[in-house]
Amino acid sequence: MSHSRFNAIDIVLNRTDFDLDIQTLAESDNISSFYGKNVFNDASMQKYLDEDSYLSIKAKIQSGENLTIDLADIVANAMKKWAMDKGATHYAHWFQPLTGKTAEKHDSFFTLDHEGLPIEEFKGEGLAQQEPDGSSFPGGGLRSTFEARGYTAWDPSSPAFILEVGDGKTLCIPTIFVTYGGDALDHKLPLLKSQSYLENAAIPVCKLFDPKVEKVITTLGWEQEYFLVDEALYHARPDLMLTGRTLLGKHSPKGQQLDDHYFGSIPERVYAYMRDLETECHKLGIPVRTRHNEVGPGQYELAPMFEEVNVAVDHNQLLMDLMDRIARRHRMRVLLHEKPFAGVNGSGKHNNWSMATDTGKNLLSPGENPGKNLRFLTFFVNTIKAVHEYADLLRASVASASNDHRLGANEAPPAIISVYIGSALTKILNQIEEGKSVDEDAVTRVLDLLSKIPNLELDNTDRNRTSPFAFTGNKFEIRMVGSSHSCAKPMTVMNTIVGHQLKAFYKEAQELMGQGMDQAGALLTIIKRYISEFKNILFEGDGYSDEWKVEAERRGLSNTPNTPDALTSYVSDKVKTLFNDSGVLNMNELEAHYEVMVENYILSVQIESRTLGEMCINWVLPAAIQYQNVVADNIIKLKDLGMSESSYTAQMDILNRISTNINEIKIRVAKMTEERKNANALETAIEQAHAYCKNVRPLMDDIRIYADRLEYLVDDKQWPFVKYRELMFVR
Ligand code: ADP
Ligand code: MG
């Protein structure tokens, strides 16, 4: 269904068909009383499994060992019982294909037994493995259609949950998605591999400080930004419906200049949405805690407590799905696009990343005890070193057509990767670097100095919001990730590069100690060298400024504002070696990831460009011509009445300007179609992507300028598309 502009505004202004009184949960207002009620968590496992089975499944999950089919049968049966007690009729393997979204295939518990009698059944086989007909999911070159089979396999490290859609309830089992040959067709398997790669690299380093460490996990706390628009307005904009962003639209005289939306009071209708969303999240064990208005009018943010990275990624994927579904319940649409409105802040998804041990230590916590801080320094410095070494890969991991509008557009971090660590830590790194020699004395001096670090975890006041990669107290915050992205890719990259780096560090430390150097001296020697090697990536200034672009170039840091350029680093020899040596992605998988990203870029720009063409030819030009007729009629009438030419100079001027803009649009839409054809005719996908980037996209920007001029010239009553002011302020 689509609406005309005024019809849509009417609907919004007279809306009564949404519920402001969303009841949180009938049972109680107390979140802890229903938190995780739809998750097959530890408590449900204990309740539905006998003690022996419970203990063995727990042990298997901890160790990552394979389950025996007997145990899988027992667990499946318990899950089925639990799910059916909650009203579920179906189960689904829930997975994350390379589209970056989630997918599920439902099967009922109901089946017929060998005598044809109806029963409810869920076996270990069904839990462990399924074969969805996934041949239409992007797989790069991994599957040709004749062997298009893909398999999903249970990931016991992320708990199963019940998804409620209307009255339907489905038991969802988080799974990986692989080809017949075992290549990953999803984001989860590489993420799991990267996590264990980092763990293996980090444990020996941890043991230098505490022999009791047996397990290291990476932690992720994401912050999800989004826009909300009324569903009627959304349906009055073909561009929002088809591309998730506005392809044209003159800026509203009042936008975000007054900063009156940021952290402002939350509109009642939005508040109802947020509460509803949070309740659904809590039932699913997604520990969301923070909500507020963001900078753009109609922009908001939601953030949870951090979790182990695999679960946190699943939770964010699930959240994006819930956000969309619940918005519809409130007659709204959620926009997860990185840049729905030109001239208004875009949306990102900060990924707060750290590492933690089974002894309860956050490895990036500076702490208060200076004697322990060498451990902090080790992990801190190795992380920065890894980012310095693989900045291009990190940039590539967040590349997409939609995120290109954000990165480097003076509102979000630039496309140049730099690291912000704050003045206190900068000072410390400088002093370590300048330390004369790392004899006993120097070590003591450095460690003394560390004791002077104020309590950094609390003292975050001098955070720099313009940095793409910032140390914020006890974690690194990766700010380049786009709001619509899966966190899996940047997290996989972080784990892999830091794991790789820690291995190199440990090897060198062993060598130095083998030569008789004491441990602290050896570690500091390496740390000191690293600091001087990565120093040029540290930047504390304004990342949005033009001076930084010049300065960054002088420092030799790369600046790749567009996706096709950024993606080339995915298939560089250095990155191939990294993924191959770490075992996180084999060469087929890496190639597939790359191909899917290139393909997504082409398709996104292609769809946008076609949509823009249609909007111009079918709506903008007819509206302009209609108004042109009105003005022309007026001039003829004035002439007929014998009025002097000077009495219709304004009309003539308007007429001329309308004609000019119509022509400019017409010419460029034709040229844009031509350029698309040229691009499509190119041999390789990456050539096509470059052509879309260099030849199609600039034309879209040009067309917008002329269309927006027409919006300004044409009678408001005749303008077909909901205007920016209405999208942002009609509620
Ligand atoms: P903001 O960046 O908006 O100021 P905070 O810094 O308070 O917000 O927290 C942002 C996110 O960082 C939250 O999701 C929080 O859970 C997460 N976070 C805090 N500590 C860690 C950690 N050790 N590892 C990963 N994420 C963390
Ligand atoms: Mg943040």
Side-chain angles (χ1 to χ4, degrees):
M1 180 177 62
S2 66
H3 292 300
S4 74
R5 175 170 158 227
F6 290 106
N7 179 12
I9 293 169
D10 246 22
I11 294 175
V12 180
L13 294 178
N14 297 305
R15 254 204 204 295
T16 51
D17 56 349
F18 60 89
D19 188 3
L20 278 181
D21 285 324
I22 288 290
Q23 274 303 315
T24 34
L25 266 195
E27 300 117 67
S28 161
D29 284 331
N30 203 340
I31 294 171
S32 51
S33 69
F34 60 85
Y35 182 78
K37 75 179 269 235
N38 285 348
V39 185
F40 192 61
N41 53 19
D42 202 60
S44 342
M45 283 207 282
Q46 272 192 49
K47 188 165 161 209
Y48 283 84
L49 286 166
D50 63 83
E51 196 179 339
D52 280 355
S53 312
Y54 167 75
L55 290 174
S56 15
I57 176 81
K58 283 279 283 187
K60 297 274 187 199
I61 291 174
Q62 283 281 330
S63 66
E65 270 174 69
N66 279 341
L67 256 61
T68 60
I69 190 67
D70 288 348
L71 189 55
D73 272 336
I74 294 170
V75 176
N77 198 43
M79 263 189 203
K80 181 194 76 181
K81 262 215 203 110
W82 169 79
M84 285 177 58
D85 282 352
K86 297 202 167 277
T89 52
H90 287 64
Y91 70 94
H93 276 198
W94 184 80
F95 57 104
Q96 299 165 27
L98 296 178
T99 53
K101 305 279 183 304
T102 58
E104 57 208 61
K105 180 193 170 206
H106 296 196
D107 278 315
S108 64
F109 293 130
F110 154 80
T111 185
L112 299 175
D113 71 6
H114 55 278
E115 284 168 13
L117 296 174
I119 53 164
E120 247 79 39
E121 183 183 78
F122 185 43
K123 290 220 166 126
E125 280 165 13
L127 167 65
Q129 194 179 310
Q130 203 182 29
E131 188 189 335
D133 177 21
S135 53
S136 291
F137 289 115
L142 280 179
R143 287 177 304 171
S144 21
T145 7
F146 65 86
E147 46 161 47
R149 278 188 296 181
Y151 292 90
T152 50
W154 182 31
D155 164 22
S157 61
S158 183
F161 55 90
I162 292 176
L163 204 57
E164 297 174 308
V165 180
D167 290 335
K169 292 187 174 132
T170 304
L171 168 67
C172 290
I173 296 147
T175 56
I176 57 167
F177 183 40
V178 293
T179 61
Y180 185 64
D183 289 332
L185 282 166
D186 71 346
H187 288 301
K188 189 189 252 292
L189 182 56
L191 177 69
L192 288 169
K193 286 182 175 171
S194 74
Q195 152 95 328
S196 83
Y197 175 68
L198 180 129
E199 174 170 28
N200 287 332
I203 288 174
V205 181
C206 285
K207 282 188 187 290
L208 295 174
F209 307 102
D210 178 1
K212 287 199 288 297
V213 173
E214 296 296 340
K215 216 171 142 56
V216 172
I217 56 164
T218 47
T219 50
L220 162 65
W222 38 261
E223 302 165 55
Q224 178 73 54
E225 292 182 333
Y226 61 98
F227 280 86
L228 285 171
V229 292
D230 186 278
E231 120 188 321
L233 301 181
Y234 173 89
H235 282 133
R237 297 273 326 199
D239 45 4
L240 280 184
M241 285 170 66
L242 298 184
T243 72
R245 76 173 177 112
T246 52
L247 300 171
L248 39 81
K250 196 183 146 303
H251 296 187
S252 164
K254 177 182 186 292
Q256 65 188 38
Q257 304 95 319
L258 300 174
D259 274 338
D260 47 357
H261 188 69
Y262 191 45
F263 284 96
S265 66
I266 300 171
E268 201 177 345
R269 194 175 162 198
V270 172
Y271 187 55
Y273 168 76
M274 288 175 167
R275 280 167 51 216
D276 197 5
L277 175 62
E278 285 166 10
T279 301
E280 293 304 321
C281 285
H282 289 145
K283 287 200 279 186
L284 286 164
I286 308 175
V288 291
R289 280 194 74 194
T290 312
R291 59 177 175 222
H292 60 79
N293 284 3
E294 260 303 327
V295 177
Q299 191 187 26
Y300 310 92
E301 180 181 304
L302 181 71
M305 288 176 64
F306 68 91
E307 298 176 280
E308 183 274 320
V309 67
N310 177 37
V311 175
V313 169
D314 281 0
H315 279 168
N316 183 252
Q317 292 296 112
L318 190 51
L319 173 92
M320 290 195 283
D321 188 39
L322 287 175
M323 288 176 98
D324 182 58
R325 238 194 282 245
I326 291 165
R328 287 164 197 257
R329 199 140 91 190
H330 292 252
R331 302 277 178 259
M332 294 194 280
R333 284 293 185 274
V334 65
L335 305 178
L336 291 177
H337 193 286
E338 283 72 9
K339 191 74 179 173
F341 307 107
V344 175
N345 250 51
S347 301
K349 174 148 53 198
H350 296 175
N351 278 201
N352 294 272
W353 176 93
S354 189
M355 294 159 282
T357 65
D358 55 346
T359 53
K361 290 278 180 289
N362 174 353
L363 293 171
L364 290 175
S365 171
E368 284 174 47
N369 183 345
K372 295 261 186 221
N373 278 343
L374 197 51
R375 182 193 60 207
F376 160 70
L377 268 182
T378 294
F379 284 94
F380 179 68
V381 161
N382 271 290
T383 306
I384 303 175
K385 174 84 166 117
V387 171
H388 180 251
E389 203 62 31
Y390 288 98
D392 288 345
L393 174 60
L394 198 57
R395 163 69 185 96
S397 74
V398 298
S400 70
S402 52
N403 211 18
D404 280 1
H405 292 281
R406 228 182 115 238
L407 299 181
N410 283 342
E411 54 152 60
I416 307 160
I417 306 279
S418 65
V419 178
Y420 169 87
I421 59 172
S423 53
L425 287 166
T426 303
K427 205 164 144 199
I428 288 166
L429 293 199
N430 283 340
Q431 292 183 337
I432 296 175
E433 196 205 358
E434 284 158 17
K436 318 226 155 45
S437 67
V438 191
D439 52 23
E440 283 288 313
D441 276 359
V443 172
T444 323
R445 256 204 318 279
V446 172
L447 294 180
D448 278 350
L449 191 70
L450 291 180
S451 67
K452 298 197 187 78
I453 307 179
N455 195 343
L456 276 171
E457 286 171 48
L458 299 175
D459 185 21
N460 289 329
T461 44
D462 64 343
R463 288 195 195 178
N464 182 331
R465 290 272 157 198
T466 68
S467 176
F469 195 94
F471 186 70
T472 49
N474 57 1
K475 66 202 188 271
F476 280 100
E477 185 167 337
I478 304 153
R479 301 220 182 94
M480 307 88 74
V481 188
S483 48
S484 68
H485 291 177
S486 159
C487 305
K489 239 182 307 175
M491 289 295 100
T492 300
V493 167
M494 276 307 295
N495 293 345
T496 309
I497 63 178
V498 175
H500 179 75
Q501 179 52 49
L502 286 170
K503 276 192 197 283
F505 178 83
Y506 184 73
K507 187 160 170 259
E508 195 176 338
Q510 291 298 98
E511 280 164 15
L512 290 181
M513 289 191 280
Q515 291 159 19
M517 206 182 265
D518 68 283
Q519 179 170 306
L523 302 189
L524 272 167
T525 304
I526 309 169
I527 287 172
K528 186 168 171 248
R529 199 190 71 236
Y530 282 179
I531 296 170
S532 57
E533 284 168 0
F534 68 51
K535 230 178 146 185
N536 67 342
I537 205 173
L538 297 179
F539 179 60
E540 303 286 301
D542 178 2
Y544 297 176
S545 69
D546 287 332
E547 294 82 55
W548 171 229
K549 288 189 191 126
V550 179
E551 166 69 10
E553 194 177 344
R554 194 190 59 74
R555 294 189 190 188
L557 302 178
S558 38
N559 180 6
T560 33
N562 73 64
T563 294
D565 282 341
L567 287 181
T568 53
S569 84
Y570 243 98
V571 282
S572 68
D573 286 342
K574 186 173 163 185
V575 166
K576 281 183 178 162
T577 309
L578 171 78
F579 280 123
N580 203 35
D581 290 356
S582 60
V584 169
L585 289 171
N586 67 32
M587 290 309 94
N588 290 339
E589 293 166 340
L590 182 63
E591 190 67 35
H593 277 240
Y594 169 75
E595 274 179 35
V596 170
M597 285 167 97
V598 172
E599 193 66 23
N600 274 347
Y601 180 85
I602 298 170
L603 293 175
S604 302
V605 182
Q606 187 179 69
I607 291 169
E608 285 189 348
S609 158
R610 286 179 178 160
T611 306
L612 179 63
E614 278 192 19
M615 287 173 80
C616 286
I617 303 297
N618 298 162
W619 282 282
V620 172
L621 297 192
I625 290 166
Q626 208 178 353
Y627 184 57
Q628 199 180 30
N629 282 336
V630 173
V631 181
D633 280 349
N634 178 251
I635 293 169
I636 291 167
K637 280 187 184 135
L638 293 177
K639 250 186 185 167
D640 284 354
L641 287 171
M643 303 280 285
S644 70
E645 219 169 280
S646 65
S647 64
Y648 48 82
T649 43
Q651 285 89 328
M652 286 301 290
D653 178 53
I654 293 172
L655 206 56
N656 282 327
R657 282 157 63 190
I658 293 178
S659 298
T660 310
N661 289 312
I662 288 176
N663 278 331
E664 300 291 355
I665 290 174
K666 185 74 187 49
I667 292 167
R668 282 173 179 76
V669 169
K671 175 117 175 64
M672 183 168 72
T673 310
E674 197 57 38
E675 290 296 353
R676 277 204 310 268
K677 279 193 190 140
N678 293 340
N680 297 342
L682 293 170
E683 200 159 323
T684 64
I686 189 67
E687 285 174 318
Q688 295 182 9
H690 280 296
Y692 269 96
C693 178
K694 300 217 160 53
N695 306 332
V696 176
R697 215 156 172 165
L699 281 168
M700 294 178 61
D701 293 340
D702 282 359
I703 291 169
R704 179 180 190 137
I705 293 173
Y706 297 108
D708 290 355
R709 282 185 190 157
L710 283 176
E711 181 181 327
Y712 182 66
L713 285 170
V714 167
D715 182 358
D716 183 68
K717 287 195 291 298
Q718 283 169 15
W719 192 253
F721 300 121
V722 173
K723 294 189 170 180
Y724 264 35
R725 62 162 192 267
E726 294 152 352
L727 280 167
M728 273 168 237
F729 300 108
V730 174
R731 299 224 168 86

